[in-house]
Amino acid sequence: NLTASAYNVSYEVNGSLVATEPGVTPLTLGQTETFTFATTTDLSALGSYDISAYVTIAADEDTNNDTLSQTVNVVEEIDTLFFSQGSAWRYWDGATDPGATWIDSGFVDTTWRVGMGHFGFGEGDEDTELAIGNVSYYFRKQVDIPDANALNEAYIHLIHDDAAIVYINGQEAFRTELMPLGTITHLTSARQSNNSDNENNFYTYKVDTSLFEDGINTLAISLRNRSASNADLSFDCWISSGFSYDYDGP
């Protein structure tokens, strides 16, 4: 019989069953059907949720495609300026150019995915795995600053394998050493690959605080690989109000 008329659909959150409800529409071989659960659950607390939905059919001969799983991150849409590493960013890892306005505060990034740092691929330590095969990757975050004039210092700490360019409210704040000089396009690659011994180290850059303004500010960072065939990539970022340097010399 290639039609299933009696079946149940269930979903779990973090391994705990939330609901099991009867199917409504008979399913035929190869059919795709949208099912809306009547039972809801509360995902308002910040954090990551592993959600699995699955169908149970009596005498099912092939259960390989009966389950769909997805991890959902519930995050603060607007962070404080001095946020920690491993925070949430909107990101674009598609092959197409997001356009010149992606650095601007008014850019609409609601179609971009949201992930948690550490970002990257190829090393097995990623919290958010990015698509392989691009030169350019893009990250955006909004931060709230009640009084920008009260800022004394701000330091951006970056993992950038291989290179990065950082914008604040649409203005270039700095570019890392391996980022080429001049105009940066979607196809601009890093000048060379990062040393494998330090590609996951945080590098610290002092930021001109005059780039910030009262209210909502936009950080936009583009990460660049040496080539689209690179085997790995890494990105994470945090900001602090102070930093202690190790001075050379006596």
Side-chain angles (χ1 to χ4, degrees):
N1 186 353
L2 299 181
T3 300
S5 299
Y7 61 93
N8 291 321
V9 185
S10 306
Y11 80 98
E12 301 176 351
V13 176
N14 293 337
S16 297
L17 180 65
V18 176
T20 297
E21 300 176 9
V24 177
T25 304
L27 299 178
T28 59
L29 186 65
Q31 178 180 347
T32 299
E33 186 67 30
T34 300
F35 183 88
T36 302
F37 287 95
T39 304
T40 60
T41 192
D42 183 7
L43 302 182
S44 60
L46 301 181
S48 294
Y49 298 90
D50 295 321
I51 302 175
S52 296
Y54 52 92
V55 61
T56 305
I57 303 173
D60 192 355
E61 296 180 359
D62 183 6
T63 61
N64 290 328
N65 61 349
D66 288 355
T67 301
L68 177 66
S69 298
Q70 181 70 49
T71 298
V72 175
N73 294 312
V74 179
V75 300
E76 292 282 7
E77 278 293 314
I78 300 175
D79 228 324
T80 59
L81 174 60
F82 302 120
F83 57 87
S84 303
Q85 68 184 82
S87 65
W89 293 77
R90 287 196 177 272
Y91 68 94
W92 178 253
D93 62 350
T96 58
D97 188 343
T101 62
W102 78 274
I103 64 176
D104 296 337
S105 297
F107 179 77
V108 179
D109 58 10
T110 53
T111 60
W112 291 24
R113 295 179 179 178
V114 176
M116 309 292 290
H118 179 122
F119 294 83
F121 61 79
E123 297 179 346
D125 59 352
E126 301 85 8
D127 293 282
T128 301
E129 189 169 0
L130 302 176
I132 300 173
N134 301 326
V135 164
S136 305
Y137 298 82
Y138 302 87
F139 303 87
R140 286 172 52 90
K141 175 193 283 287
Q142 289 186 315
V143 296
D144 186 16
I145 303 176
D147 184 1
N149 289 327
L151 293 174
N152 292 319
E153 295 182 336
Y155 296 86
I156 291 184
H157 312 273
L158 273 178
I159 294 176
H160 51 78
D161 179 23
D162 292 310
I165 185 167
V166 177
Y167 302 90
I168 297 173
N169 296 324
Q171 301 297 313
E172 181 179 339
F174 64 88
R175 61 184 71 187
T176 65
E177 183 180 358
L178 297 183
M179 180 67 76
L181 301 175
T183 301
I184 303 299
T185 73
H186 179 61
L187 300 178
T188 302
S189 63
R191 294 191 293 110
Q192 64 186 60
S193 296
N194 211 343
N195 190 312
S196 60
D197 293 335
N198 55 26
E199 59 189 9
N200 280 313
N201 291 351
F202 279 99
Y203 292 87
T204 299
Y205 303 88
K206 189 174 183 179
V207 180
D208 181 0
T209 57
S210 68
L211 294 171
F212 295 111
E213 58 190 38
D214 293 350
I216 306 302
N217 292 253
T218 299
L219 303 178
I221 301 176
S222 183
L223 197 69
R224 301 302 170 111
N225 237 336
R226 178 66 185 93
S227 74
S229 61
N230 272 28
D232 58 20
L233 182 94
S234 293
F235 168 76
D236 203 352
C237 176
W238 59 287
I239 298 182
S240 68
S241 59
F243 181 71
S244 297
Y245 291 94
D246 291 328
Y247 292 99
D248 293 332

